[in-house]
Amino acid sequence: MCSPYTDVSYPAGTTVRGAKFFAPLAILLFVSCGFADLRSVPYTTVPERAYAVLHGSYAPVIVRFGAAMIRSEAEKLISVSFREGPVSGDLSWDGSALYFTPSVPWSIGLQYILSLNGNAFAEDGRELRAASYIPFYVERSGALPFLNSFSPKDGSSVGVSPDEGALLVLEFSESMDRRSAEYAFTWDCPGEKDFLWRDDDRAFELRPKEKLNPWTAYHWSIGTGAKSRDGIPLALKYEGSFITDRDTLIPEVERCFPLAPSGPGWVETGGALADGISSGGAIGVSFTKAMNRESVLRSLRFEPGITGRTELLGDTSIVFIPEQEWARETIYTLIVSKDTQDISGLKLGEDYKAFFTPDLPYLDLRLVAVDSYAPFTGDDLVNGNCLRIRLSDPLVLRLSLAFSLTLSGAAMTEASSRISLTPFFPPNLPAIALRSVFIESADTLSLEWEGMLSGSSETGHYYRLFIPGGKGGVHDGGGAFFREDRYLYIEVLP
Protein backbone atom coordinates (compact mmCIF):
# COMPACT_ATOMS: atom_id res chain seq x y z
CA MET A 1 0.00 0.00 0.00
CA CYS A 2 1.03 3.57 -0.47
CA SER A 3 2.54 5.29 2.53
CA PRO A 4 0.94 8.45 3.83
CA TYR A 5 4.39 9.67 4.56
CA THR A 6 5.73 9.62 1.10
CA ASP A 7 8.46 12.18 0.65
CA VAL A 8 7.81 14.80 -1.99
CA SER A 9 10.91 16.50 -3.31
CA TYR A 10 10.94 19.80 -5.14
CA PRO A 11 13.33 20.78 -7.86
CA ALA A 12 16.54 22.45 -6.81
CA GLY A 13 16.25 26.17 -6.26
CA THR A 14 12.51 26.01 -5.69
CA THR A 15 11.35 28.76 -3.37
CA VAL A 16 8.52 28.51 -0.91
CA ARG A 17 6.33 30.28 -3.40
CA GLY A 18 7.43 27.80 -6.08
CA ALA A 19 6.77 24.94 -3.76
CA LYS A 20 3.23 26.14 -3.42
CA PHE A 21 2.87 25.82 -7.26
CA PHE A 22 4.28 22.29 -7.50
CA ALA A 23 2.33 20.93 -4.58
CA PRO A 24 -1.07 20.67 -6.30
CA LEU A 25 0.58 19.18 -9.39
CA ALA A 26 2.31 16.59 -7.27
CA ILE A 27 -0.98 15.68 -5.64
CA LEU A 28 -2.62 15.16 -9.07
CA LEU A 29 0.13 12.75 -10.06
CA PHE A 30 -0.87 10.35 -7.39
CA VAL A 31 -3.84 8.04 -7.14
CA SER A 32 -4.76 5.95 -4.18
CA CYS A 33 -2.80 2.92 -5.43
CA GLY A 34 -0.15 4.30 -7.85
CA PHE A 35 0.69 6.72 -10.64
CA ALA A 36 -1.94 7.65 -13.43
CA ASP A 37 -0.69 6.87 -17.03
CA LEU A 38 -1.19 10.06 -19.05
CA ARG A 39 0.55 8.86 -22.20
CA SER A 40 -1.57 9.14 -25.42
CA VAL A 41 -2.46 5.98 -27.34
CA PRO A 42 -0.42 5.93 -30.54
CA TYR A 43 -1.92 4.82 -33.89
CA THR A 44 -0.95 4.37 -37.54
CA THR A 45 -3.10 4.30 -40.67
CA VAL A 46 -3.34 2.77 -44.12
CA PRO A 47 -3.14 4.98 -46.13
CA GLU A 48 -0.14 6.01 -44.16
CA ARG A 49 0.23 9.56 -45.51
CA ALA A 50 -1.66 12.19 -47.43
CA TYR A 51 -2.25 11.43 -51.12
CA ALA A 52 -1.13 7.86 -50.81
CA VAL A 53 -2.56 5.36 -53.31
CA LEU A 54 -4.41 2.21 -52.31
CA HIS A 55 -4.50 -0.76 -54.64
CA GLY A 56 -7.52 -2.95 -55.12
CA SER A 57 -11.24 -2.28 -55.71
CA TYR A 58 -12.05 -3.24 -52.12
CA ALA A 59 -8.72 -2.36 -50.47
CA PRO A 60 -9.46 -1.69 -46.75
CA VAL A 61 -8.66 1.48 -44.88
CA ILE A 62 -6.87 0.44 -41.65
CA VAL A 63 -6.28 2.12 -38.28
CA ARG A 64 -3.82 0.27 -36.07
CA PHE A 65 -3.99 1.34 -32.41
CA GLY A 66 -1.07 1.08 -29.98
CA ALA A 67 -3.31 -0.46 -27.32
CA ALA A 68 -6.43 -2.54 -26.99
CA MET A 69 -9.26 -0.07 -27.45
CA ILE A 70 -12.81 0.12 -26.26
CA ARG A 71 -14.09 -0.82 -29.67
CA SER A 72 -17.46 0.88 -29.62
CA GLU A 73 -15.73 4.20 -28.88
CA ALA A 74 -12.91 3.69 -31.38
CA GLU A 75 -15.35 2.91 -34.20
CA LYS A 76 -16.91 6.34 -33.75
CA LEU A 77 -13.63 8.01 -34.63
CA ILE A 78 -13.41 6.82 -38.24
CA SER A 79 -15.21 8.02 -41.36
CA VAL A 80 -14.43 7.98 -45.09
CA SER A 81 -15.89 10.48 -47.54
CA PHE A 82 -15.55 11.78 -51.08
CA ARG A 83 -16.92 14.72 -53.07
CA GLU A 84 -20.48 13.41 -53.09
CA GLY A 85 -20.65 12.60 -49.39
CA PRO A 86 -19.81 9.78 -46.97
CA VAL A 87 -18.69 6.37 -48.21
CA SER A 88 -20.67 3.44 -46.84
CA GLY A 89 -18.74 0.43 -45.66
CA ASP A 90 -18.23 -2.29 -43.04
CA LEU A 91 -16.05 -2.12 -39.91
CA SER A 92 -14.17 -5.12 -38.61
CA TRP A 93 -11.34 -5.80 -36.09
CA ASP A 94 -8.18 -7.80 -36.24
CA GLY A 95 -6.66 -7.53 -32.78
CA SER A 96 -6.13 -3.82 -32.16
CA ALA A 97 -6.46 -2.96 -35.88
CA LEU A 98 -9.75 -1.50 -37.15
CA TYR A 99 -10.60 -2.21 -40.82
CA PHE A 100 -13.00 -0.19 -43.03
CA THR A 101 -14.05 -2.02 -46.22
CA PRO A 102 -16.22 -0.12 -48.76
CA SER A 103 -19.63 -1.52 -49.64
CA VAL A 104 -19.08 -0.83 -53.34
CA PRO A 105 -15.77 -0.76 -55.19
CA TRP A 106 -13.60 2.32 -54.89
CA SER A 107 -13.63 4.59 -57.95
CA ILE A 108 -10.25 4.70 -59.59
CA GLY A 109 -8.54 8.07 -59.46
CA LEU A 110 -11.18 9.68 -57.28
CA GLN A 111 -9.94 11.45 -54.13
CA TYR A 112 -11.21 10.08 -50.82
CA ILE A 113 -10.59 11.40 -47.30
CA LEU A 114 -9.99 9.27 -44.21
CA SER A 115 -11.06 11.21 -41.11
CA LEU A 116 -10.16 10.30 -37.50
CA ASN A 117 -11.79 12.79 -35.22
CA GLY A 118 -12.81 12.68 -31.55
CA ASN A 119 -11.85 10.95 -28.28
CA ALA A 120 -11.73 7.27 -27.39
CA PHE A 121 -10.27 5.25 -24.48
CA ALA A 122 -8.07 2.21 -24.36
CA GLU A 123 -8.94 -0.65 -22.10
CA ASP A 124 -6.09 0.38 -19.78
CA GLY A 125 -7.68 3.80 -19.27
CA ARG A 126 -5.49 5.81 -21.61
CA GLU A 127 -7.21 8.34 -23.84
CA LEU A 128 -6.81 8.83 -27.59
CA ARG A 129 -7.53 12.23 -28.95
CA ALA A 130 -7.61 12.09 -32.79
CA ALA A 131 -7.81 14.88 -35.38
CA SER A 132 -6.47 13.48 -38.66
CA TYR A 133 -7.60 14.08 -42.23
CA ILE A 134 -5.77 11.98 -44.80
CA PRO A 135 -6.70 12.34 -48.52
CA PHE A 136 -5.95 9.27 -50.64
CA TYR A 137 -6.61 7.68 -54.04
CA VAL A 138 -7.22 4.20 -55.38
CA GLU A 139 -5.02 2.76 -58.13
CA ARG A 140 -4.14 6.18 -59.52
CA SER A 141 -3.61 9.70 -58.25
CA GLY A 142 -3.69 12.94 -60.14
CA ALA A 143 -6.22 14.92 -62.15
CA LEU A 144 -9.58 13.42 -63.07
CA PRO A 145 -10.77 13.48 -66.69
CA PHE A 146 -12.64 16.64 -67.56
CA LEU A 147 -14.39 18.27 -70.50
CA ASN A 148 -11.92 20.33 -72.50
CA SER A 149 -14.49 22.04 -74.71
CA PHE A 150 -17.90 21.69 -76.29
CA SER A 151 -19.86 23.27 -79.11
CA PRO A 152 -22.20 24.95 -79.77
CA LYS A 153 -21.29 27.30 -76.96
CA ASP A 154 -23.74 27.59 -74.11
CA GLY A 155 -26.70 29.73 -75.17
CA SER A 156 -25.71 29.81 -78.85
CA SER A 157 -28.16 30.37 -81.72
CA VAL A 158 -28.06 27.59 -84.32
CA GLY A 159 -30.12 26.19 -87.18
CA VAL A 160 -32.19 23.03 -87.08
CA SER A 161 -29.83 20.64 -88.89
CA PRO A 162 -26.20 19.57 -88.38
CA ASP A 163 -25.21 21.64 -91.42
CA GLU A 164 -26.71 24.68 -89.73
CA GLY A 165 -25.03 24.24 -86.38
CA ALA A 166 -27.19 21.61 -84.67
CA LEU A 167 -24.16 19.35 -84.27
CA LEU A 168 -23.10 18.77 -80.67
CA VAL A 169 -19.37 18.13 -80.13
CA LEU A 170 -17.77 17.25 -76.76
CA GLU A 171 -13.97 17.01 -76.34
CA PHE A 172 -12.42 15.38 -73.24
CA SER A 173 -9.02 15.60 -71.60
CA GLU A 174 -8.34 11.91 -72.16
CA SER A 175 -9.72 8.83 -73.91
CA MET A 176 -13.13 7.89 -72.62
CA ASP A 177 -15.04 4.69 -72.14
CA ARG A 178 -17.70 4.96 -74.86
CA ARG A 179 -20.42 3.00 -73.16
CA SER A 180 -20.31 4.84 -69.83
CA ALA A 181 -20.03 8.25 -71.50
CA GLU A 182 -23.01 7.63 -73.78
CA TYR A 183 -25.04 6.28 -70.88
CA ALA A 184 -24.19 9.32 -68.72
CA PHE A 185 -25.11 11.74 -71.51
CA THR A 186 -28.59 13.24 -71.82
CA TRP A 187 -30.04 15.55 -74.48
CA ASP A 188 -33.69 16.53 -74.87
CA CYS A 189 -33.43 16.11 -78.62
CA PRO A 190 -36.32 14.16 -80.22
CA GLY A 191 -35.73 10.92 -82.09
CA GLU A 192 -32.64 8.76 -82.38
CA LYS A 193 -29.10 10.12 -82.23
CA ASP A 194 -25.78 8.84 -83.58
CA PHE A 195 -22.57 9.14 -81.53
CA LEU A 196 -19.52 9.51 -83.75
CA TRP A 197 -16.34 9.03 -81.71
CA ARG A 198 -12.98 10.32 -82.91
CA ASP A 199 -9.47 11.28 -81.78
CA ASP A 200 -8.90 7.98 -79.98
CA ASP A 201 -12.19 8.41 -78.11
CA ARG A 202 -11.22 11.83 -76.79
CA ALA A 203 -14.21 13.43 -78.52
CA PHE A 204 -17.61 12.60 -79.95
CA GLU A 205 -20.02 14.26 -82.32
CA LEU A 206 -23.73 13.83 -81.88
CA ARG A 207 -25.92 14.11 -84.97
CA PRO A 208 -29.71 14.06 -84.62
CA LYS A 209 -31.30 11.85 -87.29
CA GLU A 210 -34.18 14.29 -87.66
CA LYS A 211 -34.18 18.05 -87.91
CA LEU A 212 -34.73 19.82 -84.63
CA ASN A 213 -37.74 22.00 -83.98
CA PRO A 214 -37.20 25.68 -84.79
CA TRP A 215 -37.10 28.33 -82.09
CA THR A 216 -36.64 25.73 -79.38
CA ALA A 217 -34.14 25.61 -76.50
CA TYR A 218 -32.31 22.28 -76.19
CA HIS A 219 -30.39 21.20 -73.08
CA TRP A 220 -27.70 18.55 -72.64
CA SER A 221 -25.64 17.22 -69.74
CA ILE A 222 -23.02 14.59 -69.04
CA GLY A 223 -22.63 13.31 -65.50
CA THR A 224 -19.87 11.78 -63.45
CA GLY A 225 -21.03 8.33 -64.49
CA ALA A 226 -18.95 8.95 -67.62
CA LYS A 227 -15.56 7.32 -67.12
CA SER A 228 -12.23 7.40 -68.81
CA ARG A 229 -10.86 4.37 -70.57
CA ASP A 230 -9.04 3.60 -67.28
CA GLY A 231 -12.34 3.67 -65.38
CA ILE A 232 -11.88 7.10 -63.77
CA PRO A 233 -15.07 9.15 -63.43
CA LEU A 234 -15.46 12.57 -64.97
CA ALA A 235 -14.41 15.31 -62.56
CA LEU A 236 -17.69 17.23 -62.78
CA LYS A 237 -21.16 17.14 -64.24
CA TYR A 238 -21.24 19.40 -67.28
CA GLU A 239 -24.31 21.07 -68.80
CA GLY A 240 -25.06 23.28 -71.77
CA SER A 241 -27.85 24.56 -73.99
CA PHE A 242 -28.48 26.19 -77.35
CA ILE A 243 -31.47 27.64 -79.22
CA THR A 244 -32.53 26.83 -82.79
CA ASP A 245 -33.46 30.42 -83.63
CA ARG A 246 -30.87 31.29 -86.26
CA ASP A 247 -33.54 31.31 -89.00
CA THR A 248 -36.03 34.06 -88.19
CA LEU A 249 -37.73 34.50 -91.58
CA ILE A 250 -41.27 33.06 -91.64
CA PRO A 251 -42.18 31.38 -94.97
CA GLU A 252 -45.00 32.87 -97.04
CA VAL A 253 -46.99 31.93 -100.11
CA GLU A 254 -45.56 34.06 -102.90
CA ARG A 255 -48.28 33.41 -105.52
CA CYS A 256 -50.69 30.85 -106.99
CA PHE A 257 -50.90 30.47 -110.80
CA PRO A 258 -52.58 28.29 -113.45
CA LEU A 259 -50.54 25.71 -115.33
CA ALA A 260 -51.13 23.93 -118.63
CA PRO A 261 -49.72 20.53 -119.61
CA SER A 262 -46.63 20.58 -121.84
CA GLY A 263 -45.19 17.22 -122.73
CA PRO A 264 -44.34 15.40 -119.50
CA GLY A 265 -44.39 18.62 -117.48
CA TRP A 266 -46.25 21.85 -116.90
CA VAL A 267 -45.89 25.45 -118.07
CA GLU A 268 -47.44 28.66 -116.80
CA THR A 269 -50.32 29.96 -118.87
CA GLY A 270 -49.34 33.55 -118.16
CA GLY A 271 -52.69 34.31 -116.62
CA ALA A 272 -53.76 34.81 -113.03
CA LEU A 273 -55.48 32.12 -111.02
CA ALA A 274 -58.31 34.53 -110.24
CA ASP A 275 -59.05 34.70 -113.98
CA GLY A 276 -59.81 30.99 -114.03
CA ILE A 277 -58.23 27.70 -114.93
CA SER A 278 -58.70 25.79 -118.15
CA SER A 279 -59.85 22.22 -118.64
CA GLY A 280 -57.05 19.80 -117.85
CA GLY A 281 -55.14 22.56 -116.11
CA ALA A 282 -53.24 22.39 -112.83
CA ILE A 283 -52.38 24.92 -110.14
CA GLY A 284 -48.90 25.99 -109.09
CA VAL A 285 -48.04 27.45 -105.67
CA SER A 286 -44.71 29.15 -105.00
CA PHE A 287 -43.22 30.07 -101.61
CA THR A 288 -40.68 32.64 -100.50
CA LYS A 289 -38.34 29.97 -99.08
CA ALA A 290 -37.25 26.41 -99.70
CA MET A 291 -39.90 24.17 -98.18
CA ASN A 292 -39.96 20.90 -96.27
CA ARG A 293 -40.86 18.18 -98.77
CA GLU A 294 -43.13 16.07 -96.57
CA SER A 295 -44.93 19.10 -95.20
CA VAL A 296 -45.52 20.94 -98.47
CA LEU A 297 -46.80 17.87 -100.32
CA ARG A 298 -49.73 17.64 -97.91
CA SER A 299 -50.27 21.36 -97.52
CA LEU A 300 -53.14 21.96 -99.99
CA ARG A 301 -56.87 21.47 -99.76
CA PHE A 302 -59.83 22.80 -101.71
CA GLU A 303 -63.36 23.84 -100.88
CA PRO A 304 -65.38 22.28 -102.41
CA GLY A 305 -63.13 19.26 -102.40
CA ILE A 306 -61.51 17.80 -105.49
CA THR A 307 -59.31 14.72 -105.77
CA GLY A 308 -55.79 15.08 -107.07
CA ARG A 309 -52.12 14.81 -106.21
CA THR A 310 -49.42 17.30 -105.28
CA GLU A 311 -45.92 17.16 -106.74
CA LEU A 312 -42.78 19.25 -106.31
CA LEU A 313 -41.86 21.76 -109.01
CA GLY A 314 -38.71 22.79 -107.17
CA ASP A 315 -37.43 23.68 -103.71
CA THR A 316 -39.84 26.59 -103.47
CA SER A 317 -42.87 25.51 -105.52
CA ILE A 318 -45.42 22.72 -105.96
CA VAL A 319 -48.13 21.77 -108.46
CA PHE A 320 -51.59 20.38 -107.74
CA ILE A 321 -52.80 18.07 -110.50
CA PRO A 322 -56.54 17.32 -110.36
CA GLU A 323 -57.65 13.78 -111.06
CA GLN A 324 -61.13 14.89 -112.05
CA GLU A 325 -62.49 17.80 -114.04
CA TRP A 326 -63.00 21.09 -112.28
CA ALA A 327 -66.66 21.90 -111.73
CA ARG A 328 -68.05 24.60 -114.01
CA GLU A 329 -69.42 27.82 -112.60
CA THR A 330 -68.09 26.92 -109.16
CA ILE A 331 -66.10 29.23 -106.90
CA TYR A 332 -63.21 27.23 -105.43
CA THR A 333 -61.15 28.17 -102.39
CA LEU A 334 -57.54 27.03 -102.45
CA ILE A 335 -56.19 26.74 -98.89
CA VAL A 336 -52.51 26.37 -97.98
CA SER A 337 -52.32 25.06 -94.41
CA LYS A 338 -50.86 27.28 -91.70
CA ASP A 339 -48.80 24.25 -90.55
CA THR A 340 -46.82 24.08 -93.81
CA GLN A 341 -43.12 24.14 -92.90
CA ASP A 342 -39.96 25.34 -94.59
CA ILE A 343 -36.75 23.33 -94.45
CA SER A 344 -35.97 24.87 -91.06
CA GLY A 345 -39.32 23.79 -89.65
CA LEU A 346 -40.80 27.29 -89.51
CA LYS A 347 -44.53 27.37 -90.29
CA LEU A 348 -46.68 29.77 -92.27
CA GLY A 349 -48.62 30.49 -89.09
CA GLU A 350 -51.85 31.39 -90.90
CA ASP A 351 -53.90 29.64 -93.58
CA TYR A 352 -53.39 31.17 -97.02
CA LYS A 353 -56.51 31.35 -99.21
CA ALA A 354 -56.99 32.04 -102.92
CA PHE A 355 -60.30 32.10 -104.79
CA PHE A 356 -60.91 31.15 -108.41
CA THR A 357 -63.60 29.96 -110.79
CA PRO A 358 -62.56 27.45 -113.48
CA ASP A 359 -62.66 28.98 -116.96
CA LEU A 360 -64.15 25.91 -118.62
CA PRO A 361 -66.20 26.26 -121.84
CA TYR A 362 -69.47 24.44 -122.30
CA LEU A 363 -70.12 22.29 -125.29
CA ASP A 364 -72.39 23.93 -127.85
CA LEU A 365 -73.47 23.90 -131.49
CA ARG A 366 -71.21 25.81 -133.82
CA LEU A 367 -73.27 25.23 -136.94
CA VAL A 368 -76.02 23.11 -138.48
CA ALA A 369 -75.84 22.23 -142.15
CA VAL A 370 -78.75 20.71 -144.12
CA ASP A 371 -77.90 19.18 -147.46
CA SER A 372 -76.63 21.90 -149.77
CA TYR A 373 -78.03 24.81 -147.77
CA ALA A 374 -75.69 27.39 -146.35
CA PRO A 375 -74.90 26.43 -142.74
CA PHE A 376 -77.00 27.90 -139.97
CA THR A 377 -74.86 29.64 -137.32
CA GLY A 378 -75.01 32.23 -134.57
CA ASP A 379 -78.49 33.47 -133.71
CA ASP A 380 -80.02 30.91 -136.06
CA LEU A 381 -79.18 28.31 -133.44
CA VAL A 382 -80.89 29.95 -130.47
CA ASN A 383 -83.17 27.49 -128.71
CA GLY A 384 -86.64 27.41 -130.26
CA ASN A 385 -85.61 28.88 -133.61
CA CYS A 386 -87.03 27.30 -136.75
CA LEU A 387 -84.81 26.31 -139.67
CA ARG A 388 -86.66 26.26 -143.02
CA ILE A 389 -85.37 23.78 -145.60
CA ARG A 390 -86.40 21.72 -148.60
CA LEU A 391 -85.51 18.06 -149.06
CA SER A 392 -82.98 17.24 -151.77
CA ASP A 393 -84.16 13.64 -151.82
CA PRO A 394 -87.79 12.80 -151.22
CA LEU A 395 -88.37 11.57 -147.66
CA VAL A 396 -84.64 11.90 -146.70
CA LEU A 397 -82.98 14.60 -144.55
CA ARG A 398 -79.21 14.84 -144.30
CA LEU A 399 -78.12 16.89 -141.27
CA SER A 400 -74.58 17.85 -140.19
CA LEU A 401 -73.94 19.12 -136.64
CA ALA A 402 -70.64 20.88 -135.85
CA PHE A 403 -69.78 21.23 -132.15
CA SER A 404 -67.81 23.97 -130.44
CA LEU A 405 -65.31 21.45 -129.04
CA THR A 406 -63.80 18.24 -130.31
CA LEU A 407 -65.35 15.00 -129.09
CA SER A 408 -63.66 11.73 -128.38
CA GLY A 409 -64.63 8.81 -130.60
CA ALA A 410 -66.66 7.22 -127.84
CA ALA A 411 -68.36 10.53 -127.05
CA MET A 412 -69.21 11.05 -130.73
CA THR A 413 -70.75 7.58 -130.97
CA GLU A 414 -72.73 8.17 -127.80
CA ALA A 415 -73.91 11.55 -129.10
CA SER A 416 -75.30 9.98 -132.27
CA SER A 417 -77.57 7.81 -130.16
CA ARG A 418 -78.65 10.66 -127.90
CA ILE A 419 -79.56 13.24 -130.55
CA SER A 420 -83.13 12.88 -131.80
CA LEU A 421 -85.33 14.26 -134.57
CA THR A 422 -89.08 13.72 -134.08
CA PRO A 423 -92.32 14.88 -135.78
CA PHE A 424 -93.77 17.91 -134.03
CA PHE A 425 -96.65 19.36 -136.08
CA PRO A 426 -99.14 18.43 -137.25
CA PRO A 427 -99.54 15.69 -134.70
CA ASN A 428 -100.47 13.12 -137.31
CA LEU A 429 -97.07 13.19 -139.02
CA PRO A 430 -95.68 9.69 -139.37
CA ALA A 431 -92.61 8.62 -137.40
CA ILE A 432 -89.19 8.93 -139.00
CA ALA A 433 -86.12 6.75 -138.59
CA LEU A 434 -82.37 7.36 -138.32
CA ARG A 435 -80.91 5.71 -141.37
CA SER A 436 -77.17 6.40 -141.09
CA VAL A 437 -74.49 8.10 -139.01
CA PHE A 438 -71.20 9.43 -140.29
CA ILE A 439 -68.41 11.06 -138.23
CA GLU A 440 -66.97 13.69 -140.53
CA SER A 441 -64.31 14.96 -138.12
CA ALA A 442 -63.59 15.24 -134.39
CA ASP A 443 -66.13 18.02 -134.07
CA THR A 444 -68.69 17.25 -136.82
CA LEU A 445 -71.32 14.53 -136.89
CA SER A 446 -73.59 13.76 -139.90
CA LEU A 447 -76.96 12.13 -139.41
CA GLU A 448 -79.45 10.95 -142.07
CA TRP A 449 -83.15 10.43 -141.37
CA GLU A 450 -85.78 8.92 -143.65
CA GLY A 451 -89.57 9.25 -143.68
CA MET A 452 -89.65 13.02 -143.73
CA LEU A 453 -92.65 14.63 -145.42
CA SER A 454 -92.62 18.00 -147.09
CA GLY A 455 -95.30 20.48 -146.11
CA SER A 456 -97.85 22.09 -148.36
CA SER A 457 -98.82 25.64 -149.08
CA GLU A 458 -101.67 25.23 -146.63
CA THR A 459 -99.94 23.30 -143.87
CA GLY A 460 -96.34 23.39 -142.73
CA HIS A 461 -94.59 20.21 -141.52
CA TYR A 462 -92.40 20.73 -138.43
CA TYR A 463 -89.83 18.43 -136.82
CA ARG A 464 -88.03 18.93 -133.51
CA LEU A 465 -84.22 18.44 -133.25
CA PHE A 466 -83.24 17.70 -129.62
CA ILE A 467 -79.77 17.47 -128.00
CA PRO A 468 -79.79 16.64 -124.25
CA GLY A 469 -77.66 18.92 -122.08
CA GLY A 470 -76.33 18.93 -118.55
CA LYS A 471 -73.83 16.47 -117.06
CA GLY A 472 -75.98 13.53 -118.19
CA GLY A 473 -76.32 14.75 -121.74
CA VAL A 474 -74.08 14.91 -124.79
CA HIS A 475 -70.46 15.58 -123.74
CA ASP A 476 -66.99 15.78 -125.24
CA GLY A 477 -65.53 12.86 -123.30
CA GLY A 478 -63.30 15.22 -121.32
CA GLY A 479 -65.79 16.82 -118.95
CA ALA A 480 -67.40 19.43 -121.18
CA PHE A 481 -71.15 19.21 -121.80
CA PHE A 482 -74.03 21.36 -123.00
CA ARG A 483 -75.05 23.91 -120.41
CA GLU A 484 -78.71 23.11 -121.11
CA ASP A 485 -80.86 21.08 -123.48
CA ARG A 486 -80.61 22.34 -127.06
CA TYR A 487 -83.64 22.19 -129.35
CA LEU A 488 -84.44 23.59 -132.78
CA TYR A 489 -87.43 23.23 -135.12
CA ILE A 490 -87.05 22.26 -138.74
CA GLU A 491 -89.83 23.19 -141.20
CA VAL A 492 -89.80 21.09 -144.36
CA LEU A 493 -91.04 23.40 -147.08
CA PRO A 494 -93.06 22.19 -150.12
Side-chain angles (χ1 to χ4, degrees):
M1 294 182 62
C2 300
S3 170
Y5 302 105
T6 302
D7 182 26
V8 177
S9 300
Y10 301 103
T14 300
T15 63
V16 173
R17 185 175 181 179
K20 290 181 180 180
F21 169 78
F22 280 101
L25 178 61
I27 295 172
L28 289 175
L29 292 177
F30 288 97
V31 293
S32 60
C33 296
F35 290 100
D37 192 345
L38 298 183
R39 292 174 301 164
S40 177
V41 177
Y43 63 90
T44 60
T45 62
V46 177
E48 65 279 4
R49 64 184 182 280
Y51 307 112
V53 177
L54 298 183
H55 296 282
S57 299
Y58 288 94
V61 170
I62 308 171
V63 182
R64 293 188 174 93
F65 298 98
M69 302 296 294
I70 298 175
R71 293 185 174 184
S72 61
E73 294 187 358
E75 290 174 359
K76 294 178 182 180
L77 301 176
I78 187 171
S79 66
V80 180
S81 61
F82 71 131
R83 63 188 179 191
E84 296 182 6
V87 177
S88 62
D90 298 321
L91 295 174
S92 60
W93 289 87
D94 182 9
S96 59
L98 176 59
Y99 286 70
F100 174 90
T101 304
S103 300
V104 296
W106 302 110
S107 294
I108 298 175
L110 190 65
Q111 186 183 90
Y112 294 90
I113 296 178
L114 166 61
S115 299
L116 291 171
N117 189 29
N119 300 340
F121 288 90
E123 292 180 354
D124 61 7
R126 285 184 293 166
E127 183 180 16
L128 186 152
R129 296 181 179 179
S132 297
Y133 299 91
I134 304 173
F136 67 95
Y137 297 90
V138 177
E139 298 296 346
R140 171 186 132 161
S141 63
L144 301 178
F146 57 89
L147 197 60
N148 268 337
S149 64
F150 60 84
S151 64
K153 293 182 179 179
D154 195 27
S156 296
S157 294
V158 301
V160 296
S161 68
D163 295 337
E164 299 169 320
L167 173 65
L168 190 60
V169 180
L170 272 64
E171 297 183 354
F172 301 91
S173 60
E174 58 185 276
S175 299
M176 301 297 289
D177 172 67
R178 292 187 179 185
R179 184 173 182 180
S180 67
E182 292 176 9
Y183 185 79
F185 179 84
T186 61
W187 186 17
D188 54 2
C189 164
E192 296 182 5
K193 298 167 280 291
D194 286 333
F195 288 85
L196 178 62
W197 287 89
R198 56 179 171 82
D199 300 338
D200 192 28
D201 294 347
R202 290 177 177 265
F204 69 71
E205 298 177 358
L206 198 57
R207 294 176 176 267
K209 290 188 176 181
E210 301 176 2
K211 286 187 176 180
L212 303 183
N213 296 321
W215 292 7
T216 302
Y218 288 94
H219 304 270
W220 62 267
S221 68
I222 186 165
T224 55
K227 297 182 179 181
S228 70
R229 189 178 290 173
D230 296 333
I232 302 171
L234 203 61
L236 300 170
K237 177 181 180 181
Y238 296 89
E239 297 178 305
S241 65
F242 57 84
I243 305 174
T244 53
D245 61 353
R246 177 180 293 174
D247 187 354
T248 59
L249 184 62
I250 299 296
E252 297 178 357
V253 175
E254 188 173 53
R255 63 191 182 101
C256 298
F257 46 92
L259 296 168
S262 175
W266 299 89
V267 294
E268 292 192 42
T269 64
L273 181 62
D275 297 333
I277 185 169
S278 301
S279 177
I283 296 178
V285 180
S286 65
F287 300 86
T288 56
K289 299 178 65 180
M291 303 302 288
N292 175 276
R293 175 187 176 90
E294 291 73 17
S295 175
V296 78
L297 288 180
R298 59 174 184 269
S299 64
L300 303 183
R301 72 179 189 274
F302 292 86
E303 295 177 357
I306 182 170
T307 59
R309 68 184 188 276
T310 304
E311 297 179 356
L312 293 176
L313 281 179
D315 291 340
T316 61
S317 58
I318 56 175
V319 54
F320 175 81
I321 305 168
E323 295 175 349
Q324 65 186 84
E325 186 58 270
W326 300 100
R328 286 163 172 75
E329 297 184 344
T330 300
I331 298 176
Y332 282 91
T333 304
L334 165 63
I335 303 171
V336 184
S337 172
K338 64 181 180 181
D339 294 323
T340 305
Q341 300 178 6
D342 65 14
I343 57 174
S344 295
L346 298 178
K347 299 179 180 180
L348 264 63
E350 295 182 354
D351 286 344
Y352 175 90
K353 295 182 179 181
F355 305 92
F356 65 97
T357 300
D359 182 19
L360 304 179
Y362 283 93
L363 188 60
D364 206 350
L365 283 175
R366 183 168 55 83
L367 64 84
V368 176
V370 181
D371 290 336
S372 59
Y373 283 86
F376 296 96
T377 60
D379 291 342
D380 296 332
L381 304 181
V382 173
N383 270 358
N385 270 4
C386 183
L387 311 179
R388 292 175 172 83
I389 58 99
R390 285 184 172 87
L391 298 176
S392 297
D393 293 336
L395 306 177
V396 176
L397 175 66
R398 297 180 183 89
L399 195 67
S400 292
L401 305 178
F403 301 102
S404 59
L405 302 173
T406 59
L407 277 66
S408 66
M412 191 71 83
T413 300
E414 183 181 342
S416 67
S417 66
R418 304 291 299 278
I419 298 172
S420 65
L421 184 65
T422 57
F424 180 73
F425 183 84
N428 60 350
L429 284 176
I432 62 175
L434 182 64
R435 188 168 78 172
S436 66
V437 175
F438 177 68
I439 299 175
E440 294 185 22
S441 65
D443 65 352
T444 304
L445 177 65
S446 291
L447 304 156
E448 188 176 85
W449 280 275
E450 63 180 355
M452 307 284 290
L453 294 178
S454 298
S456 64
S457 57
E458 295 81 13
T459 305
H461 287 182
Y462 297 89
Y463 295 85
R464 185 173 186 261
L465 176 67
F466 180 76
I467 303 173
K471 292 183 178 180
V474 173
H475 57 87
D476 69 346
F481 49 85
F482 283 85
R483 183 195 298 266
E484 58 186 352
D485 293 340
R486 300 288 276 112
Y487 61 94
L488 296 168
Y489 295 99
I490 299 176
E491 180 184 1
V492 182
L493 300 173

